[in-house]
Amino acid sequence: METWDVSSLQIEAHHPQVLRSDAETRAIAIQLPAGEQMQSHQVHERSYMIVVAGEITISHDGGSVSGGPGLLSHFEPNERRTIEAVSDARLVLVLAPWPGEGHPSRSA
């Protein structure tokens, strides 16, 4: 078993921290400063994102959702979204399968 106290990790903005990466999944902790965005964020994998601290707004297909700690979001592979930190936010992103179809690390 592995555990992480994500709220106490030393994570710098613009330097996501990979918590675990194996043949099936990748878990990443992200510190997103207030007012900053992950614009047109898209990954090859199915992804789940949970807000650990702070407040964010997720914009997708002309709509938006806002939330704070405990907000869990699911995105299909290659689904585009913009994530904006309303206040300093800490997020955990889980990608599966890792790496997904079309990821540059996969051989053609």
Side-chain angles (χ1 to χ4, degrees):
M1 179 172 86
E2 290 180 82
T3 62
W4 298 268
D5 181 354
V6 177
S7 26
S8 68
L9 292 174
Q10 297 299 314
I11 304 168
E12 296 179 35
H14 313 291
H15 297 282
Q17 184 174 336
V18 175
L19 303 175
R20 179 167 174 84
S21 188
D22 56 39
E24 298 169 348
T25 58
R26 177 172 268 198
I28 306 162
I30 300 166
Q31 184 68 32
L32 191 60
E36 291 198 15
Q37 294 182 344
M38 295 167 63
Q39 286 186 319
S40 295
H41 187 252
Q42 174 185 2
V43 294
H44 296 279
E45 300 78 19
R46 174 175 311 283
S47 59
Y48 292 87
M49 183 181 67
I50 188 163
V51 178
V52 176
E55 299 283 330
I56 64 164
T57 298
I58 304 168
S59 301
H60 179 270
D61 289 337
S64 67
V65 147
S66 295
L71 176 67
L72 174 64
S73 306
H74 167 261
F75 305 98
E76 294 290 336
N78 298 305
E79 188 173 359
R80 290 186 184 273
R81 64 274 187 174
T82 297
I83 300 160
E84 181 175 1
V86 176
S87 63
D88 288 348
R90 180 151 302 188
L91 313 169
V92 172
L93 186 64
V94 177
L95 309 171
W98 177 255
E101 189 68 38
H103 191 277
S105 70
R106 288 180 72 145
S107 40

